[in-house]
Amino acid sequence: MNCLKAEEQFSAYLEDELDYQAVKAFEAHLSPCESCRREFALFRESLDLLHQLPQIELSTEFDIALQVRLADAQVEPIPFWQRVLRPLHGQTRLALSGIAVLLVMVAGTYLYQRALVKPKSVEITVAPETSRRVPFAEGRRVQWRRQQFPLAVPSREPQSLVNFPESSAFDLQPVRRSQQPQRLEQNYILQTINYTEAPTGGGL
Amino acid sequence: MPDLDDELMKQCQQGDIEAFDLIVRRNQVPLVNFIARFLGNPDAAEDLAQETFVRMFKVIKRYKSGAAKFSTWMYHIASNLCKNELRNRGRRGRFFVDNVITEPSLGPESTKEDLIATAPADVSLQPGNQLERKEREHAVQSAISELPERYRLPLILRDLQELSYEEISETLILPLGTTKSRINRARLMLKDKLRSFVESS
């Protein structure tokens, strides 16, 4: 046993918590080790000092102050809605409660209806390729969606035209830009939402 | 042997308010002493002890009889309140030794003549002894207050409140081995802090 190990067993030795072998080992170390003997004596003395600390007495106000605090703790906190409704008279309170219930019912029905009315089927119509603008259909909800389709590839004007000899068997004419087929950069899809099949859900 | 506090708590849970009053009377002095020694401030200790009793009263339904000793439960609540108090203060507990000695006639600036004038007949309370006692108490309390919180709590519970290692282990929710080694470490630290006082006296 070294000094550090002996120090770890100071409390256990004092409180008689070591077994026989451990006690023998502890005493065998302490008896020749003057430093440990001195430290152990100091350990005991400081513990004696700690145990001699006087008891702190209570002040005379302790009991009264505690009774007041305990009485406060016994009072249950009043819920918010009770604090609001308590000052009102019977009929007013009843009327306000009725209005509140009615409002909740109306709001609930409205939200229920709104959740039910959803488009069931969507009819998709492809717009004419050449036209960029399609007049809105009256009475219908029209939605435009930009699409990047492969057919919408912009064409470039040729840098130079090939000049064939006049005697060529091919009677080719340079293609003018105005004669090129008109191509669109993008197409539009007209979505017409058909409300005829949407469920009404009943009610309002 | 049945724990009387435990029996009283059972009665209190059944609505007997007077049983709680008895619990307070039985435990108020040890509780105030525990908090005062931990915080190093007896004035704050009374306030915190009252707060502990109020907290116990509010959560009385949660007390499980037989699950742990009543003292374990009480010191657990008090320990948490003490830790919160120290955290809120943002500084370590300070000790006001003049408030601890409860002789009202002796102020902090009492001279030896004052002490002689108020000296009681008992030899142990002679002025010289009182000064010595006051000095000793100051040294010990200062040493306790200088200990880190994790060592101070088990030391006070063991050496001043005289709880068993098992009870301390339950109170602080620590393994038994850790509790024992922490208490021994705390005592070693206390020994080092009191070295100069012991050697000089």
Side-chain angles (χ1 to χ4, degrees):
Chain A
M1 181 181 285
N2 56 21
C3 296
L4 200 65
K5 193 77 182 166
E7 212 175 43
E8 285 174 6
Q9 295 187 341
F10 277 3
S11 290
Y13 180 78
L14 267 184
E15 292 170 337
D16 208 14
E17 289 212 334
L18 294 177
D19 57 30
Y20 181 73
Q21 292 296 330
V23 169
K24 286 289 166 198
F26 181 81
E27 288 173 350
H29 173 80
L30 235 69
S31 108
C33 183
E34 194 186 333
S35 162
C36 279
R37 276 207 315 275
R38 198 173 51 243
E39 289 303 307
F40 187 60
L42 190 60
F43 185 84
R44 292 181 73 156
E45 209 159 337
S46 59
L47 265 185
D48 285 344
L49 284 175
L50 184 61
H51 295 156
Q52 284 170 19
L53 274 178
Q55 184 169 278
I56 298 167
E57 300 299 329
L58 299 185
S59 70
T60 48
E61 297 87 28
F62 183 86
D63 272 342
I64 299 164
L66 178 59
Q67 291 308 321
V68 170
R69 287 172 82 159
L70 282 173
D72 286 345
Q74 285 180 50
V75 179
E76 293 289 328
I78 304 166
F80 172 75
W81 61 273
Q82 275 191 11
R83 271 182 283 158
V84 171
L85 290 179
R86 182 173 284 184
L88 301 176
H89 295 290
Q91 287 183 348
T92 319
R93 192 188 299 181
L94 198 67
L96 277 176
S97 304
I99 290 168
V101 169
L102 198 66
L103 280 173
V104 168
M105 284 176 66
V106 169
T109 315
Y110 172 73
L111 290 173
Y112 179 69
Q113 288 293 323
R114 203 173 163 191
L116 278 181
V117 179
K118 283 182 182 172
K120 191 178 178 183
S121 62
V122 175
E123 187 182 308
I124 298 173
T125 311
V126 178
E129 201 173 285
T130 51
S131 64
R132 282 176 179 271
R133 295 172 66 82
V134 173
F136 286 96
E138 284 183 10
R140 285 182 174 181
R141 187 175 168 191
V142 178
Q143 186 177 353
W144 293 97
R145 187 182 293 170
R146 188 171 176 165
Q147 299 276 339
Q148 296 291 337
F149 283 149
L151 56 116
V153 179
S155 64
R156 286 186 180 177
E157 192 169 349
Q159 293 293 323
S160 61
L161 298 172
V162 180
N163 294 320
F164 290 94
E166 289 182 8
S167 59
S168 170
F170 305 99
D171 188 15
L172 293 175
Q173 294 293 322
V175 181
R176 291 179 188 169
R177 193 181 177 186
S178 59
Q179 291 176 346
Q180 287 179 11
Q182 190 177 3
R183 294 179 181 177
L184 291 176
E185 201 169 22
Q186 65 244 352
N187 274 345
Y188 294 90
I189 292 175
L190 175 63
Q191 292 184 344
T192 308
I193 300 167
N194 192 352
Y195 281 97
T196 52
E197 294 179 23
T200 57
L204 297 176
Chain B
M1 182 182 164
D3 184 5
L4 180 56
D5 287 319
D6 193 61
E7 292 297 321
L8 288 170
M9 282 299 281
K10 277 188 211 166
Q11 289 181 27
C12 202
Q13 282 177 327
Q14 290 161 6
D16 186 357
I17 301 295
E18 286 180 10
F20 192 77
D21 196 41
L22 263 177
I23 288 172
V24 170
R25 286 183 194 286
R26 283 171 52 84
N27 293 284
Q28 58 189 6
V29 174
L31 187 63
V32 167
N33 272 268
F34 164 69
I35 298 172
R37 293 302 177 196
F38 181 77
L39 294 180
N41 184 345
D43 294 332
E46 289 204 353
D47 184 56
L48 221 56
Q50 287 165 7
E51 180 62 32
T52 306
F53 284 125
V54 170
R55 191 72 63 93
M56 283 162 60
F57 185 77
K58 280 182 177 172
V59 296
I60 205 158
K61 299 280 181 196
R62 283 191 231 159
Y63 176 78
K64 287 177 186 169
S65 175
K69 271 192 78 174
F70 169 79
S71 57
T72 306
W73 187 61
M74 180 180 76
Y75 284 121
H76 178 73
I77 294 174
S79 303
N80 286 339
L81 285 173
C82 285
K83 287 180 196 170
N84 288 343
E85 174 72 12
L86 283 187
R87 214 163 291 137
N88 290 341
R89 285 189 198 173
R91 57 185 163 83
R92 296 179 69 179
R94 286 187 298 175
F95 175 60
F96 304 96
V97 71
D98 300 319
N99 295 339
V100 176
I101 308 287
T102 49
E103 287 85 355
S105 59
L106 302 180
E109 287 86 27
S110 299
T111 60
K112 199 166 184 176
E113 287 71 29
D114 296 332
L115 292 169
I116 291 167
T118 56
D122 189 348
V123 177
S124 64
L125 298 177
Q126 289 295 318
N129 290 335
Q130 283 192 37
L131 273 175
E132 193 182 310
R133 197 183 67 181
K134 196 170 178 177
E135 197 180 322
R136 191 170 61 223
E137 188 185 349
H138 183 276
V140 176
Q141 180 63 63
S142 300
I144 294 173
S145 296
E146 283 173 18
L147 292 177
E149 187 185 300
R150 61 208 295 258
Y151 293 108
R152 210 187 320 166
L153 263 179
L155 180 81
I156 295 171
L157 288 173
R158 176 68 184 161
D159 287 318
L160 298 178
Q161 306 310 117
E162 297 177 351
L163 263 62
S164 69
Y165 283 115
E166 286 77 13
E167 287 168 353
I168 298 168
S169 164
E170 282 177 17
T171 303
L172 303 179
I173 316 174
L174 285 173
L176 189 59
T178 310
T179 306
K180 286 182 178 179
S181 64
R182 211 172 267 193
I183 289 170
N184 188 57
R185 182 84 197 116
R187 287 169 172 173
L188 290 170
M189 290 163 87
L190 189 79
K191 171 203 74 175
D192 291 336
K193 290 183 188 302
L194 288 174
R195 185 184 301 273
S196 58
F197 176 78
V198 172
E199 286 173 355
S200 66
S201 61

